[in-house]
Amino acid sequence: MDRRLEVAIAAATAAGQVALRHFRTDLQVERKADRSPVTVADREAEQRAVAVLRDAYPTHAVLGEEYGEQGSGGARWIIDPIDGTKSFIRGIPFFATLIALEEDGEITTGAVYAPALDDLLYAQKGQGAFDRQGPLRVSSIETVARSMLVFGGPSVLRSRGYWPAYERLVDRSARQRAYGDYFGYTFVARGQAEAMIDVDLKPWDLAALKIIVEEAGGRFTDFDDRATAFGGSAIASNGLVHEEIRQLISAE
């Protein structure tokens, strides 16, 4: 295994274990400027991830949800210490630490560790995507009519003006579920659903998931068809239904 991937996995696992120690305890919940929740677990987990990454790559830059940008250069680690803080606070086990490496503007490495489930997914550009059972592969379903679609949250789609698009996707697809945060993307990477559609996102929400979905054979873009984790929206699909979904979202 490439050292960069080994370090990403080590950082995700170490930070996830920090978060797990706080899980289902009496945590004080604060509100950030954007009104999203944060706890001491988020901050300590990010600090632990940064410590692991800096120990291995002291000159690399870091972009984390809680402490922002640190350093500069052609290589940058992107960290979400607890993706799914709202679930974490409510004692729901579907939260994870997300670690990605961006090199010269491209996401090349990603690791996702869900400590309450002891679930690990990881990928590196050109090397495939894996969990502990082996390689991951997206599904082979070719039409939205036969697809299961996953949504990050219908209320957010409504508030961002995508309710008509949501209705079109629901009407056209075979089955729908709403599994927020990192969790929905794992269904796509594992071939259990055909697409995850989400909005109101930050780079740390998406970077690690982008490379995992792509290396599992899927496709990842924002709603404007840009293959980026920085667009604020996401369509992660098996690739076969991607264009049909994008057209349904953009239809007038």
Side-chain angles (χ1 to χ4, degrees):
M1 185 182 291
D2 183 274
R3 183 167 182 260
R4 293 164 298 174
L5 182 56
E6 288 182 341
V7 170
I9 291 171
T13 303
Q17 291 299 327
V18 170
L20 188 62
R21 287 200 294 271
H22 290 283
F23 186 49
R24 294 177 177 164
T25 65
D26 187 19
L27 285 173
Q28 180 180 353
V29 179
E30 303 170 36
R31 294 285 169 180
K32 295 188 279 192
D34 63 1
R35 304 305 301 161
S36 62
V38 63
T39 73
V40 66
D42 299 86
R43 297 188 179 109
E44 288 185 2
E46 184 165 321
Q47 290 168 346
R48 181 68 181 122
V50 171
V52 173
L53 298 170
R54 281 277 164 79
D55 183 61
Y57 294 103
T59 64
H60 285 190
V62 169
L63 173 62
E65 179 174 5
E66 307 308 334
Y67 293 100
E69 189 94 36
Q70 303 173 49
S72 61
R76 177 171 66 165
W77 295 98
I78 302 174
I79 305 167
D80 192 338
I82 301 179
D83 186 63
T85 297
K86 292 177 182 177
S87 294
F88 176 84
I89 290 166
R90 297 292 301 269
I92 298 168
F94 306 127
F95 63 91
T97 298
L98 280 54
I99 306 287
L101 177 60
E102 179 188 34
E103 298 179 275
D104 297 321
E106 182 178 11
I107 306 300
T108 61
T109 304
V112 172
Y113 180 59
L117 308 175
D118 194 28
D119 189 24
L120 175 68
L121 297 85
Y122 56 91
Q124 194 161 40
K125 186 172 177 60
Q127 302 301 314
F130 302 84
D131 64 12
R132 287 197 174 104
Q133 282 67 55
L136 303 179
R137 193 68 190 170
V138 297
S139 77
S140 59
I141 289 176
E142 297 181 346
T143 64
V144 171
R146 295 180 55 223
S147 293
M148 178 167 129
L149 304 185
V150 183
F151 298 91
S155 65
V156 181
L157 289 165
R158 181 191 287 276
S159 68
R160 296 298 183 269
Y162 290 105
W163 197 251
Y166 175 69
E167 290 183 328
R168 287 191 293 270
L169 289 164
V170 169
D171 289 343
R172 292 287 188 92
S173 56
R175 195 179 189 202
Q176 312 82 33
R177 291 291 182 270
Y179 297 113
D181 308 308
Y182 87 98
F183 197 42
Y185 297 87
T186 69
F187 287 83
V188 178
R190 285 174 162 141
Q192 298 163 331
E194 282 57 65
M196 169 77 169
I197 299 104
D198 207 359
V199 295
D200 195 25
L201 302 161
K202 300 296 191 295
W204 45 78
D205 297 317
L206 298 174
L209 298 162
K210 177 180 184 293
I211 187 69
I212 288 170
V213 168
E214 290 174 338
E215 287 297 313
R219 185 177 169 192
F220 189 108
T221 74
D222 65 8
F223 285 4
D224 294 321
D225 204 30
R226 299 174 297 180
T228 179
F230 294 82
S233 59
I235 307 169
S237 81
N238 67 355
L240 302 173
V241 300
H242 201 97
E243 187 59 27
E244 187 179 355
I245 288 171
R246 198 179 68 80
Q247 289 178 3
L248 287 167
I249 290 172
S250 61
E252 296 296 334

